[in-house]
Amino acid sequence: MANGIRLDRVSKRFDHTVKGEVYAVRDVSLGVGQGELVTLLGPSGCGKSTTLRMIAGFETPDEGTISIDGQDVTHVLPNRRGIGFMFQNYALFPHLSVFDNVAYALRVERRDEKTVRTLVEEMLAAVGLSGYGRQHPHQLSGGEQQRVALARAVVFQPKVLLFDEPLSNLDAKLRLEMREQIRELQKRVGITAVYVTHDQEEAMAISDRIAVMERGVIVQSGTAQDLYYRPATEFVARFIGRTNLLAGRVLSPSDVEVLGARVTLATGRPAGSAVRLVIRPEMIGIAPAASSIPIGRVEQRTFLGEKTDYQVSLGGERLQVAATDHYRQPPIDVGQSVAVHFHPEGIHILD
Ligand SMILES: Nc1ncnc2c1ncn2[C@@H]1O[C@H](COP(=O)(O)OP(=O)(O)O)[C@@H](O)[C@H]1O
Ligand SMILES: [Mg+2]
């Protein structure tokens, strides 16, 4: 059987004091290939941690099966699954040195001390902490502690690595550094990994594939590009990136009308049909318009360095517009009338 992780129609219910029996996870099927990193992404309470905890063995599914490298582990104890963890609340052992923290799993496996030394030193070097072996956790910064946690999770060469919001206690800059380090190490070592986060940008940066969860169900899975350009539902469109969800009307086999503009777009639907369109902020262009043809009006402008965000009112909608060519154009002032152009290449039609 194939290597990697396989969840087959997994469900988990909890008894809730107020709501009664609730499904934390419902009928979830998911495959994670050997060496692949898949992220479970969704808002708080959607069932990400419960799914991860079932893979780890800390929870048992009510229905369905979980296998790792072809072996059914649904009822196997956590410490028999060959899994490394990096959880937000899975702290280092405070009384152990950095070296002993990283060495812990190897000593549980009764590896000889020479091997332990070699592997731990290698691992500390890999996370940029050579020479930190004698330090204790309280002497380290938050970022350094998380690197020790990463080293501890990877050192015993687990079959699978699981991450549950491992970076949420770090400041923004450290979060970026750590996610790159995690990604780099995971690829280099080639470990199969499942990563949980509610942060869509983190998910896009770190994952081979993303599974978006909503109320216990995986609503769509795919690459970051799939989810961004071809969201299956309005929920996914709104959760991944910023979006304009606009009503359109099919004019002809190759034309759609959107907020009074005619856009070249083949929908495959009969003339007169109503369609829902996902139009990302960078797919809308604006240019100063002569006052005789006021089309949209700039309501807000935010310079963000790599782009300038505008809010433009048009036909009762408030459009999110991102200008990435702003270094070549003079900024458009708030209150100015603008001609609005929808770039058809990236427009997605929702079912
Ligand atoms: N041990 C538990 N007992 C009762 N309800 C739980 C338990 N664990 C999770 N839940 C409920 O299951 C749902 C999913 O929780 P969780 O998997 O932690 O979501 P997430 O990690 O996406 O925020 C939530 O409604 C949560 O309250
Ligand atoms: Mg959680």
Side-chain angles (χ1 to χ4, degrees):
M1 246 188 96
N3 281 357
I5 306 169
R6 177 86 239 154
L7 274 67
D8 198 23
R9 309 204 64 168
V10 168
S11 294
K12 180 71 186 175
R13 290 180 298 268
F14 288 113
D15 273 324
H16 191 281
T17 41
V18 183
K19 296 183 231 165
E21 205 170 60
V22 293
Y23 276 90
V25 174
R26 188 194 285 268
D27 208 18
V28 159
S29 295
L30 177 73
V32 184
Q34 171 68 46
E36 192 180 28
L37 189 155
V38 171
T39 292
L40 303 174
L41 172 68
S44 176
C46 70
K48 306 179 297 292
S49 293
T50 304
T51 305
L52 203 73
R53 290 171 58 78
M54 289 191 284
I55 299 172
F58 300 136
E59 302 282 0
T60 308
D62 293 311
E63 285 132 42
T65 57
I66 298 172
S67 62
I68 296 175
D69 287 353
Q71 184 204 350
D72 185 337
V73 295
T74 315
H75 300 284
V76 172
L77 288 173
N79 59 0
R80 297 287 168 83
R81 294 190 186 195
I83 288 179
F85 310 104
M86 188 170 164
F87 291 175
Q88 185 191 332
N89 52 3
Y90 195 69
L92 300 173
F93 306 116
H95 56 289
L96 295 184
S97 68
V98 165
F99 186 97
D100 290 338
N101 262 283
V102 178
Y104 187 82
L106 298 169
R107 287 177 174 150
V108 169
E109 288 178 351
R110 306 207 181 287
R111 306 283 283 270
D112 69 89
E113 268 309 300
K114 195 157 154 277
T115 310
V116 170
R117 183 151 297 279
T118 311
L119 290 176
V120 172
E121 299 292 350
E122 267 177 29
M123 207 58 237
L124 287 177
V127 297
L129 289 178
S130 288
Y132 279 67
R134 288 165 178 275
Q135 305 275 309
H136 276 68
H138 72 269
Q139 297 171 298
L140 305 179
S141 69
E144 287 164 349
Q145 290 185 26
Q146 284 303 68
R147 275 141 72 192
V148 177
L150 179 61
R152 182 180 62 175
V154 178
V155 72
F156 65 104
Q157 294 167 317
K159 285 189 247 176
V160 165
L161 265 179
L162 301 179
F163 299 91
D164 194 347
E165 314 242 6
L167 310 182
S168 41
N169 289 338
L170 303 179
D171 65 52
K173 189 160 173 294
L174 263 178
R175 258 202 318 265
L176 290 187
E177 276 174 37
M178 265 314 281
R179 84 183 184 206
E180 280 162 22
Q181 191 156 35
I182 289 175
R183 178 60 166 164
E184 218 259 329
L185 192 64
Q186 181 266 337
K187 276 290 146 220
R188 178 143 54 90
V189 185
I191 303 185
T192 307
V194 182
Y195 192 98
V196 161
T197 183
H198 64 274
D199 179 334
Q200 51 101 8
E201 191 192 299
E202 190 170 301
M204 291 173 98
I206 210 166
S207 318
D208 293 305
R209 271 188 310 128
I210 301 170
V212 180
M213 293 188 75
E214 181 188 15
R215 282 187 254 126
V217 174
I218 292 181
V219 285
Q220 187 176 7
S221 66
T223 63
Q225 285 88 342
D226 291 336
L227 301 177
Y228 189 78
Y229 290 116
R230 292 172 293 280
T233 66
E234 188 171 324
F235 175 82
V236 176
R238 289 193 190 284
F239 203 77
I240 310 283
R242 293 188 314 140
T243 195
N244 299 288
L245 263 167
L246 300 176
R249 196 168 55 84
V250 177
L251 297 176
S252 79
S254 60
D255 278 295
V256 175
E257 188 237 289
V258 188
L259 293 175
R262 200 181 178 105
V263 179
T264 305
L265 187 67
T267 59
R269 284 167 219 207
S273 322
V275 283
R276 306 262 294 148
L277 303 175
V278 176
I279 307 182
R280 300 297 186 176
E282 67 280 14
M283 294 166 191
I284 303 177
I286 53 173
S291 54
S292 56
I293 46 156
I295 302 177
R297 181 178 188 275
V298 171
E299 303 290 347
Q300 211 183 82
R301 181 179 80 205
T302 315
F303 176 71
L304 292 168
E306 59 201 295
K307 62 175 179 173
T308 296
D309 278 344
Y310 291 94
Q311 287 190 16
V312 175
S313 57
L314 174 64
E317 294 277 348
R318 239 207 210 209
L319 300 176
Q320 310 286 334
V321 178
T324 50
D325 61 348
H326 58 159
Y327 58 94
R328 296 196 268 133
Q329 317 284 354
I332 304 173
D333 289 331
V334 170
Q336 166 117 40
S337 296
V338 285
V340 176
H341 176 76
F342 297 98
H343 303 299
E345 301 81 21
I347 295 179
H348 174 69
I349 305 154
L350 274 185
D351 279 331

